[in-house]
Amino acid sequence: MNYPNGQRKPLTIKPKQTSFSRRGMTLEEEINETTEFYRIQGQAVIHKKPTPVQIVNVHYPKRSAAVITEAYFKQASTTDYNGIYKGKHIDFEAKETKNKKSFPLANIHEHQVHHMQQVIKHGGISFIILRFRAYEETYLFDAKDLFVCWQEQFDGGKKSISYDYVKQLGYLIPFHYQKKVDFLPVVDKLYL
């Protein structure tokens, strides 16, 4: 083959690239995509609850562009998601941690735990979806197991849930392309 200036272009071998397909995507974004897939397929209706905010001040630099400059939370929010699946109310929180050894209970609020207890008391399904980012592992962790850990912290116990404990009691949610956090099979297995 003739090359310009009679020189050959050196052959370069590119090193195998690591896949970063999920990098930058948060757990909530993946759950939102999954719940939208469930809704479109007619499997379940589950939505992310908006955080109640009171807007106090808005700046209008242009007629078509409003900028909120001051806002406050109206009230403490409950859990991140709720909806209905096979006639059952589902209510859950989604959390992720960079910590390799445990999930800090400080990331859960007392009003959220109380809300989850009320959901269960009235016959609903409640759990937490936990992601350990260091391992790219996502688990469904039953609310009743969370309640045990929550109470133990006030009785002199740990203020976190160990990764090993989550692996032991939780249920690994495998990653799928369309249903990135496909938790309904675990709900079927555990609750229905």
Side-chain angles (χ1 to χ4, degrees), residues 44-90:
V45 178
I46 299 167
H47 293 285
K48 173 139 178 47
K49 291 188 250 178
T51 304
V53 175
Q54 173 69 45
I55 297 171
V56 177
N57 199 359
V58 180
H59 176 64
Y60 295 94
K62 292 183 182 175
R63 194 168 162 87
S64 63
V67 177
I68 298 170
T69 56
E70 188 177 3
Y72 301 97
F73 294 114
K74 280 186 182 178
Q75 62 195 36
S77 184
T78 54
T79 52
D80 289 331
Y81 294 88
N82 70 0
I84 191 147
Y85 174 60
K86 293 186 177 178
K88 285 291 226 174
H89 175 76
I90 291 184

Side-chain angles (χ1 to χ4, degrees), residues 46-136:
I46 299 167
H47 293 285
K48 173 139 178 47
K49 291 188 250 178
T51 304
V53 175
Q54 173 69 45
I55 297 171
V56 177
N57 199 359
V58 180
H59 176 64
Y60 295 94
K62 292 183 182 175
R63 194 168 162 87
S64 63
V67 177
I68 298 170
T69 56
E70 188 177 3
Y72 301 97
F73 294 114
K74 280 186 182 178
Q75 62 195 36
S77 184
T78 54
T79 52
D80 289 331
Y81 294 88
N82 70 0
I84 191 147
Y85 174 60
K86 293 186 177 178
K88 285 291 226 174
H89 175 76
I90 291 184
D91 205 294
F92 65 94
E93 182 68 15
K95 297 287 185 184
E96 54 188 320
T97 182
K98 292 179 184 178
N99 195 316
K100 292 181 180 181
K101 297 188 180 196
S102 64
F103 171 76
L105 286 167
N107 292 341
I108 304 275
H109 303 285
E110 188 172 355
H111 66 273
Q112 292 175 316
V113 171
H114 179 70
H115 174 76
M116 294 168 98
Q117 289 169 332
Q118 293 298 307
V119 167
I120 291 171
K121 177 183 173 186
H122 292 284
I125 296 169
S126 191
F127 51 88
I128 182 169
I129 293 180
L130 285 174
R131 170 164 298 155
F132 285 88
R133 288 165 101 200
Y135 307 112
E136 283 298 321

Side-chain angles (χ1 to χ4, degrees), residues 10-29:
L11 178 64
T12 56
I13 300 173
K14 293 182 181 178
K16 184 178 176 185
Q17 298 222 342
T18 307
S19 171
F20 297 112
S21 60
R22 292 170 65 190
R23 181 176 276 182
M25 183 171 251
T26 68
L27 176 61
E28 285 189 359
E29 288 171 329

